[in-house]
Amino acid sequence: MSTMNAKASSGGEKKALGMRSETLGVSDCLGEVKRGQVILVAYLIATLELTFLFMQMGAMPYLAKSLGLDSVGFGYLQTTFGVLQLVGGPIFGRFADQFGTRAALILSCASGSAFFLLMSISTSIPLLFLSRLPAVFMHGLPGAQKVITDLTTPSQRADALGKLGLCFGIGIIIGSALGGVLSTKFGIFVPTYVGLVGNLINTMIAMVWIPPKSHHHVTEHSNMFSIREILRLMKFPGVMEVFIIKVFAGLPIGLFLIMFSIISMDFFGLEAVESGYLMSYFGVLQMVIQGLIIGKLTNHCTERTLLRLSIFVFAGVGLGMALMRTVWHYCIVVVPMVFAFSMLGTITDSILTKSVPSSDTGTMLGICASVQPLTRTVGPTIGGVLYKQFGVSSFGYLQLIVNIGLFIYLLKNKVPLSEAKNQ
């Protein structure tokens, strides 16, 4: 049985390498300069989409309140958004694999336009809930990751994916500030108009600058909604292990961040303005760590080493969270927290896209993108119970226990299966 499994694993790896070589052969035709330009455009599209997304997050509480939606109803609204993103992630990835990255990014940006259009005419609570519907295909970040995955070699991938952290940081800082300023200075609906125009521009950028899918690399069109096809990727060697680590390593902190708006008021005693400054601090850290530090580490260390490092740091973060008492303690703890989050996300995405055939990287990235919406969906319920029953320290102790267990598992097992340095 073990011999048969080894042969199957070897065959799967050869198939993945063969198909990936074909993709890289096609991308070589673009030329080094052309590839670099396309990747920069992907960064730009991701930055703009994230900026508009965080902008609406800043304006949404005011819009919901003006329509008479209470805190419970607002929670349902956020959960609706999370569920739609959770369901849409793998479907979007399958769409990217079958129709190409250009078509997928156009779909994402056009969905963003519909999202903000519906928001701009939301004069009632039902319309506000309806405006969440296009979120099922709003996946600009996985779309940009797909571009990078297609146009980089496996050794370049972790560094290139890590630089998307700059896009995320810029989106947090500019989007959060812009949403608050526009809604308070010019009116609640102004951010929705800006988001609508911005996403239409983003759609045009994707249409003009992202090359269409090559005819030399045609994927057999199958049912995009097939659960079997999506779950098939989990059967590739090492994929399930890495994905489980990705989900559970940061889950307790993810629950904490979901509850942070309440914790910042009740536990830290922060005002809305001070919470905004804290978000900006978080965004700057994200930019510096993922844009500058992660890339250097991926060039000098193996993925196995970096995966173990991120889990070890996560365990330390859990201990720090369990002991923190003031917002200043949190400002210290958040530095290794952002590092561990960024490293774990970058390395696991890189490992998982290398573990499947190049024709399935979009679906794999879509599955990875569903981890965050999953946390947003279950977070308010589980996080609320933890906070109410056991206090803030419970998130830290849970984080510590989970990651100590994962670290011991990683020390005893070869995860990922191969250990190649990114040079």
Side-chain angles (χ1 to χ4, degrees), residues 30 33-43 147 151 209-211:
L30 291 171
V33 176
K34 178 67 174 176
R35 285 203 302 272
Q37 289 175 346
V38 173
I39 290 173
L40 285 175
V41 171
Y43 287 144
V147 172
L151 298 181
W209 288 100
I210 302 297

Side-chain angles (χ1 to χ4, degrees), residues 128-185:
L128 190 61
F129 273 87
L130 184 64
S131 72
R132 308 291 92 182
L133 196 57
V136 73
F137 293 123
M138 287 170 56
H139 295 279
L141 191 60
Q145 289 176 320
K146 172 67 173 167
V147 172
I148 292 167
T149 301
D150 286 347
L151 298 181
T152 56
T153 61
S155 61
Q156 299 170 329
R157 189 168 302 164
D159 184 22
L161 288 172
K163 287 184 172 63
L164 278 170
L166 283 168
C167 307
F168 196 85
I170 292 170
I172 290 178
I173 296 169
I174 298 179
S176 300
L178 201 58
V181 170
L182 290 176
S183 59
T184 53
K185 296 285 186 182

